[in-house]
mmCIF file of all heavy atoms in Angstrom:
data_model
loop_
_atom_site.group_PDB
_atom_site.id
_atom_site.type_symbol
_atom_site.label_atom_id
_atom_site.label_comp_id
_atom_site.label_asym_id
_atom_site.label_seq_id
_atom_site.Cartn_x
_atom_site.Cartn_y
_atom_site.Cartn_z
ATOM 1 N N GLY A 273 207.499 133.956 153.937
ATOM 2 C CA GLY A 273 208.906 133.796 154.284
ATOM 3 C C GLY A 273 209.127 132.834 155.435
ATOM 4 O O GLY A 273 210.098 132.055 155.433
ATOM 5 N N ILE A 274 208.228 132.849 156.413
ATOM 6 C CA ILE A 274 208.373 131.943 157.562
ATOM 7 C C ILE A 274 208.218 130.490 157.122
ATOM 8 O O ILE A 274 209.027 129.624 157.497
ATOM 9 C CB ILE A 274 207.340 132.296 158.648
ATOM 10 C CG1 ILE A 274 207.685 133.645 159.281
ATOM 11 C CG2 ILE A 274 207.300 131.213 159.726
ATOM 12 C CD1 ILE A 274 206.632 134.172 160.241
ATOM 13 N N ARG A 275 207.199 130.200 156.321
ATOM 14 C CA ARG A 275 207.001 128.817 155.884
ATOM 15 C C ARG A 275 208.114 128.365 154.933
ATOM 16 O O ARG A 275 208.516 127.193 154.948
ATOM 17 C CB ARG A 275 205.644 128.663 155.218
ATOM 18 C CG ARG A 275 204.460 128.802 156.168
ATOM 19 C CD ARG A 275 204.568 127.870 157.355
ATOM 20 N NE ARG A 275 203.393 127.936 158.220
ATOM 21 C CZ ARG A 275 203.367 127.570 159.480
ATOM 22 N NH1 ARG A 275 204.475 127.091 160.056
ATOM 23 N NH2 ARG A 275 202.267 127.672 160.194
ATOM 24 N N ALA A 276 208.642 129.270 154.133
ATOM 25 C CA ALA A 276 209.772 128.904 153.274
ATOM 26 C C ALA A 276 210.992 128.563 154.126
ATOM 27 O O ALA A 276 211.683 127.566 153.877
ATOM 28 C CB ALA A 276 210.092 130.049 152.317
ATOM 29 N N ALA A 277 211.258 129.373 155.138
ATOM 30 C CA ALA A 277 212.391 129.117 156.013
ATOM 31 C C ALA A 277 212.230 127.794 156.754
ATOM 32 O O ALA A 277 213.181 127.013 156.892
ATOM 33 C CB ALA A 277 212.545 130.270 157.015
ATOM 34 N N GLU A 278 211.023 127.522 157.229
ATOM 35 C CA GLU A 278 210.754 126.275 157.944
ATOM 36 C C GLU A 278 211.000 125.063 157.050
ATOM 37 O O GLU A 278 211.602 124.068 157.471
ATOM 38 C CB GLU A 278 209.312 126.273 158.432
ATOM 39 C CG GLU A 278 208.894 125.014 159.172
ATOM 40 C CD GLU A 278 207.409 125.010 159.486
ATOM 41 O OE1 GLU A 278 206.618 125.522 158.653
ATOM 42 O OE2 GLU A 278 207.030 124.504 160.544
ATOM 43 N N THR A 279 210.552 125.138 155.800
ATOM 44 C CA THR A 279 210.706 124.023 154.871
ATOM 45 C C THR A 279 212.176 123.767 154.552
ATOM 46 O O THR A 279 212.632 122.618 154.511
ATOM 47 C CB THR A 279 209.916 124.310 153.577
ATOM 48 O OG1 THR A 279 208.545 124.535 153.905
ATOM 49 C CG2 THR A 279 210.018 123.164 152.596
ATOM 50 N N LEU A 280 212.930 124.820 154.338
ATOM 51 C CA LEU A 280 214.355 124.667 154.036
ATOM 52 C C LEU A 280 215.123 124.137 155.247
ATOM 53 O O LEU A 280 216.007 123.282 155.108
ATOM 54 C CB LEU A 280 214.933 126.004 153.588
ATOM 55 C CG LEU A 280 214.414 126.555 152.246
ATOM 56 C CD1 LEU A 280 214.922 127.966 152.020
ATOM 57 C CD2 LEU A 280 214.811 125.650 151.087
ATOM 58 N N ALA A 281 214.782 124.657 156.431
ATOM 59 C CA ALA A 281 215.467 124.191 157.635
ATOM 60 C C ALA A 281 215.182 122.719 157.894
ATOM 61 O O ALA A 281 216.075 121.980 158.348
ATOM 62 C CB ALA A 281 215.049 125.038 158.834
ATOM 63 N N ALA A 282 213.965 122.273 157.591
ATOM 64 C CA ALA A 282 213.619 120.861 157.789
ATOM 65 C C ALA A 282 214.438 119.954 156.878
ATOM 66 O O ALA A 282 214.644 118.777 157.186
ATOM 67 C CB ALA A 282 212.125 120.653 157.537
ATOM 68 N N ALA A 283 214.911 120.509 155.756
ATOM 69 C CA ALA A 283 215.740 119.731 154.823
ATOM 70 C C ALA A 283 217.226 119.815 155.172
ATOM 71 O O ALA A 283 218.057 119.296 154.424
ATOM 72 C CB ALA A 283 215.509 120.229 153.399
ATOM 73 N N GLY A 284 217.555 120.473 156.269
ATOM 74 C CA GLY A 284 218.950 120.545 156.703
ATOM 75 C C GLY A 284 219.713 121.756 156.203
ATOM 76 O O GLY A 284 220.924 121.850 156.421
ATOM 77 N N LEU A 285 219.028 122.693 155.548
ATOM 78 C CA LEU A 285 219.683 123.902 155.063
ATOM 79 C C LEU A 285 219.534 125.018 156.098
ATOM 80 O O LEU A 285 218.670 124.963 156.983
ATOM 81 C CB LEU A 285 219.085 124.326 153.724
ATOM 82 C CG LEU A 285 219.199 123.286 152.595
ATOM 83 C CD1 LEU A 285 218.530 123.801 151.333
ATOM 84 C CD2 LEU A 285 220.655 122.938 152.321
ATOM 85 N N ARG A 286 220.355 126.040 155.967
ATOM 86 C CA ARG A 286 220.331 127.157 156.903
ATOM 87 C C ARG A 286 220.198 128.471 156.129
ATOM 88 O O ARG A 286 221.173 129.155 155.840
ATOM 89 C CB ARG A 286 221.610 127.168 157.748
ATOM 90 C CG ARG A 286 221.591 128.158 158.914
ATOM 91 C CD ARG A 286 222.781 127.884 159.836
ATOM 92 N NE ARG A 286 222.794 128.779 160.980
ATOM 93 C CZ ARG A 286 223.639 129.803 161.137
ATOM 94 N NH1 ARG A 286 224.543 130.067 160.196
ATOM 95 N NH2 ARG A 286 223.588 130.554 162.219
ATOM 96 N N PRO A 287 218.962 128.829 155.776
ATOM 97 C CA PRO A 287 218.771 130.042 154.973
ATOM 98 C C PRO A 287 218.955 131.308 155.801
ATOM 99 O O PRO A 287 218.844 131.298 157.037
ATOM 100 C CB PRO A 287 217.311 129.911 154.510
ATOM 101 C CG PRO A 287 216.663 129.128 155.605
ATOM 102 C CD PRO A 287 217.699 128.157 156.073
ATOM 103 N N THR A 288 219.225 132.399 155.113
ATOM 104 C CA THR A 288 219.263 133.725 155.717
ATOM 105 C C THR A 288 217.944 134.423 155.418
ATOM 106 O O THR A 288 217.512 134.469 154.261
ATOM 107 C CB THR A 288 220.428 134.556 155.157
ATOM 108 O OG1 THR A 288 221.666 133.924 155.511
ATOM 109 C CG2 THR A 288 220.412 135.976 155.706
ATOM 110 N N VAL A 289 217.307 134.944 156.448
ATOM 111 C CA VAL A 289 216.017 135.634 156.296
ATOM 112 C C VAL A 289 216.222 137.108 156.621
ATOM 113 O O VAL A 289 216.635 137.455 157.732
ATOM 114 C CB VAL A 289 214.939 135.032 157.212
ATOM 115 C CG1 VAL A 289 213.593 135.722 156.963
ATOM 116 C CG2 VAL A 289 214.812 133.531 156.983
ATOM 117 N N ILE A 290 215.932 137.956 155.655
ATOM 118 C CA ILE A 290 216.093 139.406 155.813
ATOM 119 C C ILE A 290 214.705 140.039 155.873
ATOM 120 O O ILE A 290 213.851 139.757 155.027
ATOM 121 C CB ILE A 290 216.877 140.009 154.632
ATOM 122 C CG1 ILE A 290 218.211 139.277 154.448
ATOM 123 C CG2 ILE A 290 217.106 141.493 154.847
ATOM 124 C CD1 ILE A 290 218.953 139.710 153.193
ATOM 125 N N ASP A 291 214.494 140.892 156.861
ATOM 126 C CA ASP A 291 213.173 141.503 156.995
ATOM 127 C C ASP A 291 213.300 142.905 157.572
ATOM 128 O O ASP A 291 214.201 143.175 158.383
ATOM 129 C CB ASP A 291 212.276 140.650 157.900
ATOM 130 C CG ASP A 291 210.830 141.100 157.868
ATOM 131 O OD1 ASP A 291 210.212 141.024 156.795
ATOM 132 O OD2 ASP A 291 210.320 141.528 158.917
ATOM 133 N N GLU A 292 212.389 143.784 157.173
ATOM 134 C CA GLU A 292 212.415 145.155 157.667
ATOM 135 C C GLU A 292 211.884 145.278 159.088
ATOM 136 O O GLU A 292 212.163 146.255 159.780
ATOM 137 C CB GLU A 292 211.614 146.064 156.725
ATOM 138 C CG GLU A 292 212.241 146.183 155.342
ATOM 139 C CD GLU A 292 211.433 147.064 154.405
ATOM 140 O OE1 GLU A 292 210.255 147.327 154.725
ATOM 141 O OE2 GLU A 292 211.976 147.465 153.375
ATOM 142 N N GLY A 293 211.089 144.321 159.523
ATOM 143 C CA GLY A 293 210.506 144.385 160.853
ATOM 144 C C GLY A 293 211.489 143.983 161.934
ATOM 145 O O GLY A 293 212.473 143.280 161.694
ATOM 146 N N ALA A 294 211.189 144.416 163.159
ATOM 147 C CA ALA A 294 212.016 144.024 164.296
ATOM 148 C C ALA A 294 211.809 142.565 164.656
ATOM 149 O O ALA A 294 212.717 141.906 165.168
ATOM 150 C CB ALA A 294 211.693 144.909 165.497
ATOM 151 N N GLN A 295 210.604 142.045 164.385
ATOM 152 C CA GLN A 295 210.286 140.655 164.649
ATOM 153 C C GLN A 295 209.521 140.095 163.452
ATOM 154 O O GLN A 295 208.856 140.838 162.721
ATOM 155 C CB GLN A 295 209.431 140.520 165.908
ATOM 156 C CG GLN A 295 210.086 141.052 167.165
ATOM 157 C CD GLN A 295 209.200 140.874 168.382
ATOM 158 O OE1 GLN A 295 209.184 139.833 169.016
ATOM 159 N NE2 GLN A 295 208.437 141.903 168.699
ATOM 160 N N ALA A 296 209.582 138.794 163.277
ATOM 161 C CA ALA A 296 208.890 138.166 162.157
ATOM 162 C C ALA A 296 207.382 138.215 162.347
ATOM 163 O O ALA A 296 206.882 138.294 163.460
ATOM 164 C CB ALA A 296 209.352 136.714 162.016
ATOM 165 N N GLY A 297 206.673 138.143 161.240
ATOM 166 C CA GLY A 297 205.215 138.158 161.262
ATOM 167 C C GLY A 297 204.614 138.877 160.072
ATOM 168 O O GLY A 297 203.466 138.638 159.711
ATOM 169 N N GLY A 298 205.397 139.774 159.459
ATOM 170 C CA GLY A 298 204.880 140.518 158.317
ATOM 171 C C GLY A 298 203.888 141.577 158.753
ATOM 172 O O GLY A 298 203.716 141.864 159.942
ATOM 173 N N GLN A 299 203.215 142.167 157.768
ATOM 174 C CA GLN A 299 202.214 143.191 158.081
ATOM 175 C C GLN A 299 200.974 142.586 158.710
ATOM 176 O O GLN A 299 200.414 143.108 159.671
ATOM 177 C CB GLN A 299 201.838 143.951 156.793
ATOM 178 C CG GLN A 299 202.992 144.635 156.103
ATOM 179 C CD GLN A 299 203.600 145.755 156.928
ATOM 180 O OE1 GLN A 299 203.173 146.055 158.041
ATOM 181 N NE2 GLN A 299 204.641 146.384 156.385
ATOM 182 N N ILE A 300 200.541 141.434 158.184
ATOM 183 C CA ILE A 300 199.291 140.850 158.651
ATOM 184 C C ILE A 300 199.393 140.385 160.100
ATOM 185 O O ILE A 300 198.451 140.514 160.873
ATOM 186 C CB ILE A 300 198.874 139.685 157.717
ATOM 187 C CG1 ILE A 300 197.512 139.126 158.116
ATOM 188 C CG2 ILE A 300 199.914 138.590 157.705
ATOM 189 C CD1 ILE A 300 196.366 140.032 157.911
ATOM 190 N N TYR A 301 200.550 139.837 160.470
ATOM 191 C CA TYR A 301 200.744 139.351 161.836
ATOM 192 C C TYR A 301 201.846 140.149 162.534
ATOM 193 O O TYR A 301 202.675 139.604 163.260
ATOM 194 C CB TYR A 301 201.087 137.862 161.830
ATOM 195 C CG TYR A 301 200.007 136.993 161.223
ATOM 196 C CD1 TYR A 301 200.315 135.972 160.330
ATOM 197 C CD2 TYR A 301 198.661 137.198 161.534
ATOM 198 C CE1 TYR A 301 199.326 135.168 159.771
ATOM 199 C CE2 TYR A 301 197.664 136.405 160.985
ATOM 200 C CZ TYR A 301 198.005 135.395 160.105
ATOM 201 O OH TYR A 301 197.016 134.607 159.549
ATOM 202 N N ARG A 302 201.830 141.438 162.302
ATOM 203 C CA ARG A 302 202.826 142.334 162.899
ATOM 204 C C ARG A 302 202.755 142.249 164.421
ATOM 205 O O ARG A 302 201.679 142.272 165.016
ATOM 206 C CB ARG A 302 202.576 143.767 162.433
ATOM 207 C CG ARG A 302 203.474 144.805 163.096
ATOM 208 C CD ARG A 302 203.130 146.188 162.609
ATOM 209 N NE ARG A 302 203.626 146.383 161.253
ATOM 210 C CZ ARG A 302 204.811 146.903 160.964
ATOM 211 N NH1 ARG A 302 205.633 147.262 161.932
ATOM 212 N NH2 ARG A 302 205.187 147.072 159.719
ATOM 213 N N ARG A 303 203.935 142.201 165.030
ATOM 214 C CA ARG A 303 203.995 142.096 166.479
ATOM 215 C C ARG A 303 204.257 143.453 167.136
ATOM 216 O O ARG A 303 205.040 144.253 166.606
ATOM 217 C CB ARG A 303 205.074 141.104 166.897
ATOM 218 C CG ARG A 303 204.634 139.673 166.690
ATOM 219 C CD ARG A 303 205.587 138.707 167.365
ATOM 220 N NE ARG A 303 206.605 138.237 166.458
ATOM 221 C CZ ARG A 303 207.496 137.287 166.763
ATOM 222 N NH1 ARG A 303 207.487 136.736 167.959
ATOM 223 N NH2 ARG A 303 208.392 136.905 165.878
ATOM 224 N N PRO A 304 203.641 143.699 168.258
ATOM 225 C CA PRO A 304 203.880 144.959 168.969
ATOM 226 C C PRO A 304 205.218 144.916 169.689
ATOM 227 O O PRO A 304 205.837 143.861 169.823
ATOM 228 C CB PRO A 304 202.717 145.018 169.972
ATOM 229 C CG PRO A 304 202.402 143.580 170.239
ATOM 230 C CD PRO A 304 202.646 142.862 168.935
ATOM 231 N N PRO A 305 205.685 146.048 170.193
ATOM 232 C CA PRO A 305 206.959 146.066 170.916
ATOM 233 C C PRO A 305 206.849 145.338 172.252
ATOM 234 O O PRO A 305 205.745 145.077 172.751
ATOM 235 C CB PRO A 305 207.228 147.565 171.104
ATOM 236 C CG PRO A 305 205.889 148.209 171.021
ATOM 237 C CD PRO A 305 205.096 147.397 170.043
ATOM 238 N N ASP A 306 207.985 145.008 172.839
ATOM 239 C CA ASP A 306 208.016 144.349 174.141
ATOM 240 C C ASP A 306 207.307 145.210 175.182
ATOM 241 O O ASP A 306 207.430 146.448 175.189
ATOM 242 C CB ASP A 306 209.462 144.099 174.582
ATOM 243 C CG ASP A 306 210.169 143.085 173.695
ATOM 244 O OD1 ASP A 306 209.461 142.296 173.037
ATOM 245 O OD2 ASP A 306 211.417 143.095 173.651
ATOM 246 N N GLY A 307 206.571 144.555 176.059
ATOM 247 C CA GLY A 307 205.853 145.275 177.095
ATOM 248 C C GLY A 307 204.445 145.675 176.716
ATOM 249 O O GLY A 307 203.688 146.192 177.538
ATOM 250 N N PHE A 308 204.069 145.448 175.455
ATOM 251 C CA PHE A 308 202.713 145.750 174.991
ATOM 252 C C PHE A 308 201.752 144.758 175.638
ATOM 253 O O PHE A 308 201.993 143.551 175.642
ATOM 254 C CB PHE A 308 202.675 145.622 173.467
ATOM 255 C CG PHE A 308 201.524 146.314 172.810
ATOM 256 C CD1 PHE A 308 201.545 147.688 172.639
ATOM 257 C CD2 PHE A 308 200.430 145.605 172.352
ATOM 258 C CE1 PHE A 308 200.493 148.338 172.006
ATOM 259 C CE2 PHE A 308 199.381 146.252 171.726
ATOM 260 C CZ PHE A 308 199.410 147.619 171.559
ATOM 261 N N THR A 309 200.644 145.239 176.159
ATOM 262 C CA THR A 309 199.803 144.384 177.006
ATOM 263 C C THR A 309 198.589 143.788 176.309
ATOM 264 O O THR A 309 197.911 142.944 176.885
ATOM 265 C CB THR A 309 199.309 145.188 178.220
ATOM 266 O OG1 THR A 309 198.598 146.354 177.759
ATOM 267 C CG2 THR A 309 200.479 145.620 179.098
ATOM 268 N N ARG A 310 198.305 144.172 175.072
ATOM 269 C CA ARG A 310 197.123 143.620 174.415
ATOM 270 C C ARG A 310 197.412 142.196 173.942
ATOM 271 O O ARG A 310 198.411 141.945 173.269
ATOM 272 C CB ARG A 310 196.705 144.498 173.228
ATOM 273 C CG ARG A 310 196.288 145.902 173.662
ATOM 274 C CD ARG A 310 195.943 146.758 172.479
ATOM 275 N NE ARG A 310 194.683 146.367 171.888
ATOM 276 C CZ ARG A 310 194.319 146.689 170.645
ATOM 277 N NH1 ARG A 310 195.158 147.367 169.879
ATOM 278 N NH2 ARG A 310 193.157 146.326 170.176
ATOM 279 N N PRO A 311 196.558 141.237 174.248
ATOM 280 C CA PRO A 311 196.805 139.831 173.905
ATOM 281 C C PRO A 311 196.594 139.567 172.416
ATOM 282 O O PRO A 311 195.963 140.370 171.708
ATOM 283 C CB PRO A 311 195.765 139.079 174.743
ATOM 284 C CG PRO A 311 194.645 140.065 174.910
ATOM 285 C CD PRO A 311 195.304 141.414 175.018
ATOM 286 N N PRO A 312 197.123 138.438 171.889
ATOM 287 C CA PRO A 312 196.961 138.112 170.465
ATOM 288 C C PRO A 312 195.507 138.078 170.012
ATOM 289 O O PRO A 312 195.197 138.468 168.880
ATOM 290 C CB PRO A 312 197.620 136.728 170.349
ATOM 291 C CG PRO A 312 198.599 136.682 171.469
ATOM 292 C CD PRO A 312 197.977 137.448 172.594
ATOM 293 N N GLU A 313 194.606 137.613 170.872
ATOM 294 C CA GLU A 313 193.188 137.546 170.490
ATOM 295 C C GLU A 313 192.635 138.926 170.172
ATOM 296 O O GLU A 313 191.761 139.073 169.309
ATOM 297 C CB GLU A 313 192.381 136.900 171.624
ATOM 298 C CG GLU A 313 192.653 135.422 171.842
ATOM 299 C CD GLU A 313 193.988 135.157 172.513
ATOM 300 O OE1 GLU A 313 194.557 136.098 173.130
ATOM 301 O OE2 GLU A 313 194.472 134.005 172.406
ATOM 302 N N THR A 314 193.148 139.932 170.854
ATOM 303 C CA THR A 314 192.704 141.300 170.581
ATOM 304 C C THR A 314 193.371 141.844 169.329
ATOM 305 O O THR A 314 192.743 142.534 168.519
ATOM 306 C CB THR A 314 193.030 142.212 171.782
ATOM 307 O OG1 THR A 314 192.361 141.705 172.944
ATOM 308 C CG2 THR A 314 192.570 143.637 171.529
#
């Protein structure tokens, strides 16, 4: 979804992205809540 949105935006379109997560990333790159101290490498 992120790469699709990026490609459409580069062409001058403004897509709507709907997601169940609080932040983008999906399951594989799920982001922790604000204030979480573990770095991305971990």
Side-chain angles (χ1 to χ4, degrees):
I274 291 173
R275 291 306 184 201
E278 179 187 35
T279 303
L280 293 172
L285 300 178
R286 189 169 181 254
T288 297
V289 183
I290 306 173
D291 190 63
E292 294 179 344
Q295 300 181 85
Q299 301 295 0
I300 185 67
Y301 299 136
R302 175 182 285 268
R303 284 192 266 186
D306 293 338
F308 199 77
T309 57
R310 297 177 72 199
E313 291 74 18
T314 301

